[in-house]
Structure formats: structure tokens, C-alpha cells
Amino acid sequence: MFEKLQAQKPDSILMLMQMYREDPRTDKVDLGVGVYKDATGATPIMRAIKTAEQQLWQAETSKSYVGLVGDPAFSDAMVKLVLGDAVARDKVSAAATPGGTGAVRQAFELIQLARPDARIFVSNPTWPNHLSILDHLGIEKAAYRYFDEATRGVDFDGMIADLKTARAGDVVLLHGCCHNPTGANLTMPQWQEVIAVLQDTGAVPMIDIAYQGFGDGLDADAAATRAVAAAMPECLIAASCSKNFGIYRERTGILMLVANGTDKGIAQGTLAYLNRQNYSFPPDHGARLVTMILNDDALRADWMAELEEVRLSMLGLREQLAQELQQRSGSDRFGFLAQHRGMFSRIGATPEQVQAMRESHSVYMVGDSRMNIAGLNAQSVPILAEAIIAAGV
Ligand code: LMR
């Protein structure tokens, strides 16, 4: 029966992880998968997570099932963190999911259930796994222009022109902040224009927000998501706690649905149904830690302080890299690196240049020249700058 299985197309990010692991060179620089590393190259457990885990170990008396959509307290805390007061809590259905990827997958399945002929508009480029999951589910996708290769900013005119071709009932997938893979983001006035196009076309927004707190701050990074959710009658939001709580392997995420014309019991029940079909109960450990942190003043303050340290360190690395490149190239053409936000920047190198950087300087970035800024430190920034210039980017 399984003899007909064929090799699957490798995931570009995971393939790079493997290549990096297998490289025996000791001075190698990993700018592949989106994981934060501190100045020593470690991915630390955040202080508040460690404290919450200690408290949980003392207090938890059972590992019995929680509920199909997870603990309602997790949903409450996350709806508040992401949406603030933009939408009344009773208008939001929510389900805990295994990570942000789980939320994306459940959102796509929900769309398929509600509207099998919906097309999903994705930015060009987008996170490769968006495309892979859509293909796996057999959902039709359409691309909208997003990245301007010349400026390394957003091709906003192209984006708006393409979004205008969406039809009522299509879905537009947007990155709430810290666009992955480019690092180029919309301004708030541009978000307002996107909202106007969505309202005109009747397309439904789906927001993937995986890096809240990594760009301009917790509230600033959620501002676009809040504006969209407040303005639109229907909206899907897939949020991840992997990065901003540093709990990658715990698989903690949430899918939120705002559907004003839909009976709330049906909306919430459908999210529970979809969880049941795919994995029954979502993982609890990470969600419980997040809930404890968000609902405890001291833990929350400590988490926010550490998250801010992480954010500022990434901004500092961006500035340092932009300056190094300015000195080495004698031009301002890399100034966009300091304007980009979040973990990633697409530097705009060809696949050959990316390979050359890997071979000559042991610098690993994804083939589309996405670099994980959070994988850098003060010592590796000059190595990267040298590699970029040597490769002729
Ligand atoms: C990334 O884009 O590197 C992260 O979202 C991790 C992943 O699963 O790809």
C-alpha cells in the first residue's frame, strides 16, 4: 500500500536547519529558522515561564483532559492580548491550537468547511508553510504583490491593485506584524486602505500574528489586527505564543473567529468540532503558562520587560548590521535593514549569492535570502556584512 508514496518537497526552512547541523565548521552562523538567540547563542527559557512552571509544578494536581478548545481562561487572556478592546469578548469565538501553525491549519479547514470554493490570497512572498498547507488541503490560492525587490519595502500599489481583484467570500491572508519572510510592513494609513478594499470587495481577512512584541511593541504590533477586527464584520486570527513567550516546543497557539452574522454557539461549536477531528484536545502546558503569566501582575511585568529586551536587542542588531554594510559598501542601499521589523529581513540576494555566503563564510540563510536577525550577535554581524559584500549583493 505505501509503495506508491513519493518523496515530499522539502521545506526550505527545515532543510536548512539540517544542513547547518551537518556543517562541521565551528564558526558557522545560523540565520535560518525563526528562533531567538541571545548574545551567547542560546535560546533561553524566559524568566516568567520558568517561574510559572515552578508554580504550576507545585499547584497542578491532575493531567486529565481540559476541554476541546482548551481552557477558557487561556482564550480570554489571549483575546485580550491580541485584540485589546477592539472587539467585545462575546463576539469572539476561540480555540487553543498546537502552535500558530495549528491555528493556521484550523483556519484553513474552517474556511474550506464554510466556503469550499473560497480562494485564499497570500502575499508574494509569504511563509512557505502557508502555501504548503493550502496545497495539501487542495485550497485554491492567489498571490498578491507585496515585496518590492528594488526598495526592499512594500509594493503597496501592486498589493492594493491585486487585492481589488478578490471577490466576496475570498479570504485575504495578512501578516499582522513583522512580515515573514521579508520584514517589510505596512504603515497604519496603509492598513486603513487595505481595510477599505476589503470592505469594498467583501473579502474576508485572515490575520496570522506570530511575532507580537517583536516589532514595535506589544500594542503597536497588534494595532493593525485590532483595526481590521474592529472594522470588518468577519475576521479570522491565528496567533502564536511560540516566539513572544519563547515556548516553541510547547506548541501554543490560538484561533480566533469574529463572525458577526453567525450564531455564536455554532461558531464556537465548529471550532471545537475541528479540534476534535484533528487532535481532540489541544496541548495544555504552554497555554497554562501563558495564562498564568498574563493574569499575574508580577509575572506579566517580568515577561513584558524581558520581551522588550529581546525586541530592543533585535533592533540594535539591525542598526549595527545596517551601519556595517554602509561602511563596507560606501552606500545607503542597506538602510532598509533598520526599517524592517521583526525577526526576519529579506536581503535581496540571489540563490547563488546565498549559496556563496554559505560556502565562503558559513553563513546560513534561507534560499530566498531571508535572514533571521535574532540569530545574530555582535560578533557575527561583521562576518555577515563581509559575506554579503563578498557575494556581491
Ligand atoms: C520560521 O518561519 O522560521 C518559523 O515560523 C518556524 C517555522 O516553523 O518555519
Side-chain angles (χ1 to χ4, degrees):
M1 135 183 232
F2 301 115
E3 69 276 4
K4 293 219 165 58
L5 284 178
Q6 290 180 353
Q8 298 295 333
K9 217 167 92 205
D11 181 290
S12 54
I13 299 168
L14 303 186
M15 193 173 66
L16 195 75
M17 273 172 102
Q18 173 87 8
M19 283 168 72
Y20 177 82
R21 267 195 213 118
E22 288 168 1
D23 187 339
R25 290 175 289 185
T26 50
D27 57 349
K28 54 191 179 176
V29 181
D30 179 14
L31 306 180
V33 71
V35 170
Y36 168 77
K37 295 200 189 114
D38 66 15
T40 69
T43 301
I45 300 175
M46 293 179 90
R47 296 183 299 260
I49 288 287
K50 211 64 187 156
T51 308
E53 277 185 322
Q54 277 160 354
Q55 291 178 1
L56 184 60
W57 187 80
Q58 294 286 347
E60 194 172 52
T61 54
S62 173
K63 292 285 187 189
S64 178
Y65 295 122
V66 177
L68 271 184
V69 294
D71 184 350
F74 172 65
S75 294
D76 289 347
M78 283 301 293
V79 169
K80 185 88 186 147
L81 181 71
V82 176
L83 290 176
D85 296 322
V87 183
R89 175 68 187 91
D90 63 4
K91 289 209 182 306
V92 188
S93 304
T97 56
T101 309
V104 166
R105 170 70 186 248
Q106 297 300 76
F108 289 164
E109 291 207 23
L110 182 66
I111 293 162
Q112 205 171 34
L113 197 64
R115 186 125 185 180
D117 61 343
R119 294 178 301 170
I120 302 199
F121 279 64
V122 289
S123 62
N124 181 16
T126 191
W127 183 48
N129 210 25
H130 284 151
L131 307 177
S132 178
I133 300 174
L134 286 171
D135 287 345
H136 180 67
L137 291 173
I139 296 177
E140 189 184 345
K141 53 191 192 315
Y144 60 86
R145 276 169 279 174
Y146 187 81
F147 191 58
D148 183 337
E149 298 285 347
T151 63
R152 270 77 149 176
V154 177
D155 173 6
F156 190 63
D157 291 343
M159 175 179 183
I160 288 293
D162 290 345
L163 292 187
K164 282 184 177 165
T165 67
R167 297 186 290 256
D170 283 336
V171 173
V172 175
L173 175 52
L174 299 152
H175 298 224
C177 63
C178 307
H179 186 267
N180 179 7
T182 67
N185 296 289
L186 301 180
T187 61
M188 274 319 283
Q190 288 175 327
W191 275 103
Q192 292 302 342
E193 282 190 58
V194 168
I195 290 170
V197 173
L198 291 168
Q199 287 170 331
D200 280 352
T201 57
V204 176
M206 168 178 163
I207 299 185
D208 186 352
I209 178 161
Y211 300 93
Q212 187 183 353
F214 271 33
D216 291 310
L218 272 174
D219 283 320
D221 290 347
T225 304
R226 292 172 187 173
V228 172
M232 301 299 299
E234 296 188 325
C235 177
L236 278 161
I237 299 152
S240 171
C241 302
S242 298
K243 295 13 187 227
N244 52 7
F245 287 87
I247 49 174
Y248 307 85
R249 66 176 66 164
E250 302 297 352
R251 310 315 296 140
T252 307
I254 185 164
L255 174 61
M256 301 174 208
L257 169 64
V258 182
N260 282 322
T262 308
D263 178 86
K264 176 77 187 306
I266 293 180
Q268 186 62 53
T270 308
L271 298 187
Y273 164 82
L274 284 174
N275 268 7
R276 182 66 169 159
Q277 304 322 302
N278 279 327
Y279 37 77
S280 279
F281 301 88
D284 180 70
H285 184 73
R288 195 152 297 279
L289 301 174
V290 166
T291 311
M292 289 169 72
I293 290 169
L294 292 178
N295 288 336
D296 179 288
D297 287 346
L299 285 178
R300 186 185 176 105
D302 190 37
W303 167 68
M304 286 174 65
E306 193 169 359
L307 179 60
E308 189 63 2
E309 285 165 27
V310 167
R311 185 179 81 80
L312 293 177
S313 84
M314 287 189 292
L315 277 182
L317 289 162
R318 287 186 173 282
E319 296 281 349
Q320 195 195 339
L321 181 59
Q323 272 170 23
E324 282 276 349
L325 284 165
Q326 190 202 34
Q327 280 160 16
R328 286 167 197 263
S329 70
S331 84
D332 289 331
R333 70 177 193 276
F334 296 101
F336 64 88
L337 286 165
Q339 310 303 320
H340 284 176
R341 283 293 178 276
M343 268 189 151
F344 307 114
S345 269
R346 184 186 260 204
I347 186 87
T350 63
E352 292 74 29
Q353 289 169 330
V354 169
Q355 187 180 343
M357 287 187 256
R358 194 163 63 235
E359 283 166 5
S360 64
H361 289 78
S362 336
V363 168
Y364 282 74
M365 64 180 75
V366 183
D368 65 356
S369 78
R370 184 193 84 166
M371 313 180 299
N372 173 22
I373 297 291
L376 287 167
N377 57 40
Q379 287 72 45
S380 55
V381 165
I383 301 172
L384 172 62
E386 195 185 294
I388 290 171
I389 297 299
V393 181

